[in-house]
Amino acid sequence: MTLHVDSPAAPPQPGPRRSAAARGPQRGGGWARFDLRATPYFLVSPYFLLFAIFGIFPLGYTLWVSLHDWELAGDKSFVGIENYIELITDEAFWNAVINTLGMFVMSTIPQLVLALVLANALNKRIRGRLFFRLGVLLPLITSVVAVAVVFTQLYGRDYGMINWFLGLFGTDAINWQNEKWSAWIAISTMIDWRWTGYNAIILLAAMQTIPKDLYEAASIDGATARRQFWQITIPMLRPTLIFIVFISTIGGLTLFTEPVMFDGNPTMSGGATGQYQTVAMFIVKEAFRDFDFGYASAAAWMLFALILVGTLINYSFTRRIGGSK
Amino acid sequence: MTAIQSRRPPAHSRRPSGQSAARNRIWDAGPLTKVVLAFALVLSAFPIYYMFIMATRTNEEAIDVPPPLLPGGHLGENISRLLSTEDAYFMTGLVNSAIVSVTVTLSVVLISTLAGFAFAKLRFRGGKILLGLILVTMMVPLQQMGVVPLYELMVTLGWTGQLKAVILPFLVNGFGVFMMTQYATQAVPDELVEAARVDGASTMRIYANVILPALRPGMAVLALLVFMQTWNEFMWPLIVLNPDNPVVQTSIAALNQAHGTDYVMLFTGTAASVLPLFIVFIAFGRQIVGGLMEGAVKA
């Protein structure tokens, strides 16, 4: 098969084949025209059909439910924005919001720094590159539940390896579940362990597209390695950093599996006083432990608002990174 | 920045000539790099290694100080205890997870290649808007937002407790459509589609004979990612499935709740739950790394 490789801007080539293609297949008559017009919609329809049922409908319906005092089998009475008003004054909800935001910040910032360091190291010439790349991706392959089980045991008060290790330096055994700060640290390390390598690989892919000539020229100009990193690497990585912060925001604000498994029992309370209850846990607790569907739906929309605001803040912040220095 | 760019040499200096080889030496791994990489590798591997070690030990050994770091000989015993723990339904969970993950993977790949073909290679009214809609909705945490109506929907349909309930919602995967659109744009030249049309091929025939063969590497990576993601699902199965018909993740949660102090049995279950993923990773690791890096957002 011979192919014309024209740039799209090039004028149409003379010749029967080319002009037939440009005008579309008219030889087949009505069926061919129908095929050309309608088949694209047929091809995208499975996705949009499913999306309507399992995407759009739940979103709209959640909004509707959130305006009601709604129980699964019982009463469904319209209450307007009452659920939202109650939510805004609910200390348990704000506690969950603070926990979610706290663990998000606590996990994302070290994760980004470590991923940058790791990507920089992976970008060097070394024997067995593929081996190292596969190695840092191992945690991503491990399922979240498994990560949480292993780390919860490592953080165990009596027999956990981390307390044993800290004990070597004379630290008393810490009950990691007991306090906000310690539970946040434990859960954040689970998140970071799983995601740092993945982020490093994504950053590495972007680093490899930076022309090495840039660095060579900068070296000749006498720029130090640190200066090169801040003035070449970071600005060139900006789209990737925005992407990572974006993904981390959505993942971090919907945090669920790690704290649930860390708790050990599925009451969704996140510790005795809710030290590590996240918003996602709050939603599931209100809906499926207390069966207050209206309230849970209002919380779900608040979570969505939180994600939108978080994304916007992070976007404007990340956009400024290594900006026009 | 501008000064640096204007000084940029016109050609790539990849030649191993004396001067450029010397300049390129800054890209060789120094001792610090090796330390960082070794440290990262140990940190990445250790929890996994520890999980498998614990699966071969007894509970008495598991709480030794310092903790055991070499395999023991109790794996078989732990496995048989795990399988005879009736309230965890571990085997059921494993089989259910396999069914759900394979079904979701096949469907998502099919749906995504169909839509990706249309968005990348066919011109139709509203196509750009529809693609934009998919991108926007990728940001919406449908799972957390939609739990209440999805649950009501499943109750209405009478599907709670059934595998259908955890398969259907996961067929909506905007990322898959996005990835296949990107891939088709790059992998299939427009001329190839046009030539097939001139030869009288219908759109579906072009999909089957031109698009699918060209998309195959991308489909493989998408399949692996979707399989992993589905295998990992926890929140929705926890809500909609019953304890006696779980997926593997909720089975482990049940094990953790009822037998949380039986560390070695819990770790045996956990190790068994990640083993399929590791096998896939070992077999296709190179492609997964390549696929992740190709699909990464770049400057």
Side-chain angles (χ1 to χ4, degrees), chain A residues 1 3-4 6 17-18 21 25 27 35-36 39-41 43-44 46-48 50-51 53-55 58-59 61-62 70 72 117-118 121-126 130-146 149-151 153-154 159 161 164 193-194 198 201-202 204-206 208-209 211-216 220-221 231 236 239-240 243 246 250 254 256-257 260-261 264-266 268 280 283-284 287-288 293 296-297 300-301 303-304 307, chain B residues 1 4-5 7-9 11-13 23-24 26-29 33-34 36-37 40-41 43-44 46-48 50-51 54 63 65-67 69 111 114-115 117-119 122 124-125 130 133-134 137 139-142 144-154 168-169 171-174 177 191-192 194-195 197-200 202-204 228 232 234-235 238-239 249 252-253 256-257 263 266-267 270 273-274 277-278 281 285-286 289 292-293 296-299:
Chain A
M1 203 184 291
L3 298 172
H4 302 280
D6 303 322
R17 290 202 120 203
R18 180 72 204 182
R27 284 175 300 171
D35 178 37
L36 205 60
T39 311
Y41 296 102
L43 291 171
V44 300
Y47 177 81
F48 283 100
L50 287 163
F51 183 69
I53 301 171
F54 298 108
L59 279 186
Y61 200 65
T62 304
W70 191 291
L72 184 57
V117 171
L118 191 52
L122 287 167
N123 200 18
K124 299 284 162 106
R125 210 181 290 135
I126 194 166
L130 182 67
F131 176 72
F132 285 110
R133 289 178 190 177
L134 290 176
V136 301
L137 278 179
L138 269 181
L140 182 75
I141 307 301
T142 317
S143 39
V144 186
V145 169
V149 166
V150 174
F151 274 77
Q153 209 273 341
L154 290 175
Y159 311 113
M161 197 178 280
W164 167 76
W193 182 75
R194 187 153 187 269
Y198 167 77
I201 291 290
I202 300 285
L204 171 66
Q208 290 182 339
T209 63
K212 296 200 166 174
D213 307 347
L214 282 182
Y215 295 98
E216 284 165 14
I220 293 168
D221 286 353
Q231 303 220 329
M236 297 292 273
T240 318
F243 170 78
F246 210 72
I250 296 171
T254 56
F256 180 78
T257 307
V260 169
M261 293 301 291
N265 68 69
M268 305 294 153
I283 294 169
V284 174
F288 301 103
F293 278 24
S297 297
W301 269 92
L303 175 65
F304 185 45
I307 288 171
Chain B
M1 266 318 271
I4 293 169
Q5 260 163 354
R7 271 160 184 260
R8 190 171 150 190
H12 278 287
S13 41
R23 278 193 292 167
N24 278 344
I26 54 163
W27 297 103
D28 287 336
T33 301
K34 285 175 183 162
V36 168
L37 287 178
L41 212 57
L43 272 186
S44 295
F46 178 73
I48 300 164
Y50 181 69
M51 174 171 67
M54 294 289 270
I63 58 174
V65 177
L69 289 177
I111 292 169
L114 287 172
F117 166 42
F119 285 130
L122 304 175
F124 57 106
R125 201 172 298 216
L130 289 177
L133 189 68
I134 294 183
T137 50
M139 287 174 231
V140 183
L142 289 177
Q144 284 77 12
M145 295 243 6
V147 278
V148 166
L150 277 180
Y151 186 75
E152 287 213 57
L153 184 67
M154 296 305 163
L168 282 161
L171 300 186
V172 178
N173 194 324
V177 176
E191 288 74 15
L192 205 57
E194 275 175 27
R197 270 225 200 282
V198 172
D199 290 344
S202 69
T203 307
M204 283 319 285
M228 265 170 42
N232 241 328
F234 179 63
M235 178 169 152
L238 187 71
I239 291 167
Q249 310 299 348
I252 290 176
N256 187 37
Q257 189 195 352
Y263 293 129
L266 180 62
F267 274 61
T270 310
S273 79
V274 298
L277 297 177
F278 282 146
F281 186 61
R286 184 189 293 268
V289 176
L292 283 179
M293 290 182 66
V297 177
K298 289 164 203 160

